[in-house]
Amino acid sequence: MAAVDLSTELCGIKLRNPTVLASGILGTSNALLQMVAGAGVGAVTTKSISLDPMPGHNNPITVGFEAGLLNAVGYSNPGLHAAIEEFKNLEGMGVPVIASVIGRGVGEFIKVVEGLWSQGFAAIEISLSCPHTPGFGMMAGQSNPHYTRQVVAAVRRVTSIPIFVKLSPETPDIAKVAVAAEEAGADGITAVNTMGPGMVINIEARQPVLGFKMGGVSGPALRPIAVRCVYEIYKAVRIPIIGTGGVSTGRHAIEMLMAGATAVGIGTAVCISGLDVFSAVCREMEEWMEANNVSSVQELIGTAHELYPE
Ligand SMILES: Cc1cc2nc3c(=O)[nH]c(=O)nc-3n(C[C@H](O)[C@H](O)[C@H](O)COP(=O)(O)O)c2cc1C
């Protein structure tokens, strides 16, 4: 059989393979993004960018447990103006770069997107879903259809590049939130952000490990929930999905594609296994596809819906 084709396309953005560096992992500088691009990833996402600099939560900001990671980074980032300076030369990156944007309200989202979108980013990702930062995401009630519609419609008016909306798994009906995003003009969905928040207690110290006490759960514990979210969103919208949550092998990536993802975000697995995870996932995908007579990623997307349609 001829070599398999791992390339995929997200609303006109061509990716050499479906792997995408998830936001918040190594995406703080141009040099780090370049390093990830060199490791064979299909596209990269920046750390989330806010209007003003944010110091983040007190250390420790991450803790491992048997089924993944808990993080309460608190969106530490140097703010819009520093990001404009840092990411001013994206041409040499070799892979599409997605800018992740956060805001305390519609006005802040607009200002950050206005400042960033013409810098050469392939897309903007609007993060409405962080579970552990006061003023943002779930702690500000941003994870619902009404707010999603408001933000996406406002941002749609100020940029012509593709908009992805990053959703939380902690919502009663994630498909409804995705539909609101699509109707307001989003070009794609990223599903999902971390779940929770959860807590890990150091029983010797008799106190929570994280500085913020609680944090978002990612990695293996999140994967089946993320797969279910992608499955439900795929049934409800026509725009592409970056399926994110617990992916660390080629089999996991194929599972996400079958649920309905067009590309696959990877975060925690990079923290745990390093940058080789991208080439390993691609190699394992190729092996599985060859063994199963599948010649392209296109042939996998959404196939878990076909056998027993509802
Ligand atoms: C240490 C850490 C930092 C993160 N920071 C962000 C962030 O700044 N913005 C965001 O939208 N998501 C952030 N996330 C969420 C990830 O992008 C991803 O959606 C989530 O971790 C699930 O994928 P995973 O299981 O592959 O990590 C962060 C996750 C981790 C583990």
Side-chain angles (χ1 to χ4, degrees):
M1 182 176 161
V4 300
D5 179 11
L6 281 191
S7 69
T8 190
E9 198 174 318
L10 284 169
C11 49
I13 308 164
K14 290 190 181 357
L15 272 60
R16 60 187 171 185
N17 66 62
T19 64
V20 178
L21 175 73
S23 179
I25 289 92
L26 295 176
T28 50
S29 74
N30 214 312
L32 283 171
L33 290 181
Q34 224 140 28
M35 199 171 79
V36 183
V41 75
V44 291
T45 314
T46 68
K47 169 84 186 150
S48 293
I49 299 161
S50 54
L51 181 60
D52 300 316
M54 289 179 62
H57 292 315
N58 291 336
N59 279 321
I61 52 172
T62 61
V63 57
F65 69 108
E66 63 278 16
L69 273 187
L70 219 59
N71 95 80
V73 174
Y75 280 144
S76 58
N77 82 98
L80 173 64
H81 292 297
I84 290 173
E85 191 56 26
E86 178 60 41
F87 299 116
K88 67 181 172 205
N89 186 12
L90 296 173
E91 272 104 61
M93 201 65 74
V95 297
V97 183
I98 302 167
S100 170
V101 170
I102 49 169
R104 279 194 191 83
V106 177
E108 280 195 14
F109 276 107
I110 291 175
K111 283 187 188 149
V112 182
V113 173
E114 276 177 340
L116 283 177
W117 76 270
S118 57
Q119 293 249 122
F121 290 106
I124 296 285
E125 183 175 272
I126 302 290
S127 188
L128 298 173
S129 41
C130 174
H132 57 70
T133 309
F136 295 85
M138 285 161 62
M139 293 185 99
Q142 296 181 343
S143 289
N144 63 68
H146 178 68
Y147 192 80
T148 301
R149 196 181 296 275
Q150 269 187 313
V151 174
V152 176
V155 169
R156 182 70 291 165
R157 286 193 282 275
V158 299
T159 179
S160 56
I161 67 171
I163 299 170
F164 277 75
V165 182
K166 185 162 184 183
L167 303 184
S168 166
E170 304 281 343
T171 164
D173 189 344
I174 196 164
K176 264 196 194 147
V177 190
V179 168
E182 182 179 44
E183 287 175 354
D187 302 277
I189 302 289
T190 304
V192 288
N193 208 318
T194 53
M195 65 181 177
M199 184 180 281
V200 170
I201 291 174
N202 177 327
I203 60 170
E204 276 70 43
R206 300 180 190 229
Q207 62 173 3
V209 174
L210 293 177
F212 191 64
K213 297 187 170 55
M214 56 188 85
V217 178
S218 62
L222 178 59
R223 205 179 91 245
I225 293 164
V227 170
R228 186 267 301 164
C229 288
V230 170
Y231 188 92
E232 288 188 348
I233 294 166
Y234 182 80
K235 278 195 295 187
V237 301
R238 304 184 71 84
I239 51 180
I241 306 162
I242 305 178
T244 308
V247 171
S248 66
T249 69
R251 291 185 72 86
H252 298 162
I254 288 168
E255 183 186 26
M256 274 295 186
L257 295 172
M258 288 182 172
T262 295
V264 180
I266 303 181
T268 298
V270 181
C271 304
I272 290 168
S273 313
L275 287 179
D276 288 345
V277 68
F278 297 109
S279 54
V281 164
C282 290
R283 195 178 53 248
E284 289 159 13
M285 285 184 75
E286 277 171 350
E287 284 165 9
W288 188 93
M289 288 163 73
E290 268 173 29
N292 289 275
N293 284 318
V294 177
S295 58
S296 73
V297 163
Q298 283 311 308
E299 291 170 46
L300 293 169
I301 298 170
T303 50
H305 297 257
E306 286 167 11
L307 215 46
Y308 303 105
E310 283 150 41

